[in-house]
Amino acid sequence: LGENGTGKELIARAIHERSLRNEEIFVGVDMGSITETLFESELFGHKRGAFTDAKEDRSGRFEVADQGTLFLDEVGDMSLSAQAKVLRALQEHRITRVGGDKDINVNVRVLAATNKDLKAEIAEKRFREDLYHRLGVILIQVPALKDRKEDIPLLVDKFLEDIANEYGTKKKIIRENAIAKLLEYNWSGNIRELRNVTERLVIMCGDEIIDQDVIKYLV
């Protein structure tokens, strides 16, 4: 649970990499980007001829992630109909391809993320309470960057290193007065925004990033 840009998928990947399933596949899917008409095909797969464009059999995300981890991002954006189908797959550990008549057993760890208050969504009848309890075995609250500003110097240092490696250039130095200016900012876009700002500073500034650079290029 956490705002956009707080690093929920990175946490999901870290859980996978430190688990007994770490040699198996990690499959991520943005639930909010899947249209209602393609939902079942995307998650559960389809048989050839099941619909107009189904020219061959296709495995869905649940099947691909078998023995590994399936990360369902933005589960709060699913329709009630889609929620019911995901709930069935989680409860029964099996899925059926669109156009198929045979159940397929699947063994996946499911991690889910959302930026919404699901209890409020339940109260408004927009999210199924039974699915919430099925998913919510262990809840991880990911704090916003404004509530963990002590992480900013560490994150910026990591981003400077990553960006230097990506660009094939020398890692730039950031002065303490520049870090102090970054600490003053609210970071509504969280870690994603901090990464973008760090890259902007690398592009626009000299070898050393100072406070005046941050003032000039932060917004």
Side-chain angles (χ1 to χ4, degrees), residues 20-90:
L20 296 177
R21 296 176 185 253
N22 61 4
E23 294 185 358
E24 305 294 339
I25 193 170
F26 177 97
V27 177
V29 54
D30 182 355
M31 306 302 283
S33 68
I34 304 175
T35 63
E36 189 71 19
T37 53
L38 293 177
F39 174 84
E40 283 191 83
S41 173
E42 188 69 25
L43 260 65
F44 308 130
H46 60 252
K47 299 292 288 183
R48 179 181 178 183
F51 48 86
T52 303
D53 293 327
K55 297 178 182 178
E56 58 185 4
D57 291 356
R58 181 179 182 274
S59 299
R61 300 298 182 93
F62 269 90
E63 204 173 339
V64 171
D66 189 37
Q67 305 304 315
T69 299
L70 178 63
F71 175 57
L72 305 178
D73 197 9
E74 301 305 344
V75 290
D77 292 339
M78 287 191 295
S79 68
L80 289 171
S81 172
Q83 291 173 36
K85 292 164 185 172
V86 169
L87 177 63
R88 176 182 178 274
L90 295 178

Side-chain angles (χ1 to χ4, degrees), residues 16 29 33 42 51 54 78 94 112 143 149-150 165 175 187:
H16 172 74
V29 54
S33 68
E42 188 69 25
F51 48 86
M78 287 191 295
R94 61 176 185 263
K149 286 189 174 182
E150 66 276 9
N165 290 335
R175 294 300 181 188
W187 300 109

Side-chain angles (χ1 to χ4, degrees), residues 124-144:
E124 295 294 328
K125 308 297 184 184
R126 291 192 294 261
F127 199 85
R128 293 179 61 112
E129 187 171 11
D130 47 3
L131 178 58
Y132 173 82
H133 291 302
R134 175 63 63 174
L135 291 171
V137 177
I138 298 175
L139 300 177
I140 300 175
Q141 185 69 50
V142 186

Side-chain angles (χ1 to χ4, degrees), residues 167-201:
Y167 289 8
T169 58
K170 183 180 177 181
K171 179 181 175 182
K172 292 199 174 182
I173 296 170
I174 184 165
R175 294 300 181 188
E176 288 187 11
N177 58 13
I179 289 290
K181 287 298 178 184
L182 293 174
L183 291 169
E184 294 175 2
Y185 190 61
N186 190 45
W187 300 109
S188 60
N190 292 293
I191 296 173
R192 185 179 295 127
E193 183 183 13
L194 178 63
R195 172 60 163 78
N196 291 341
V197 167
T198 304
E199 185 167 13
R200 185 184 309 145
L201 291 168

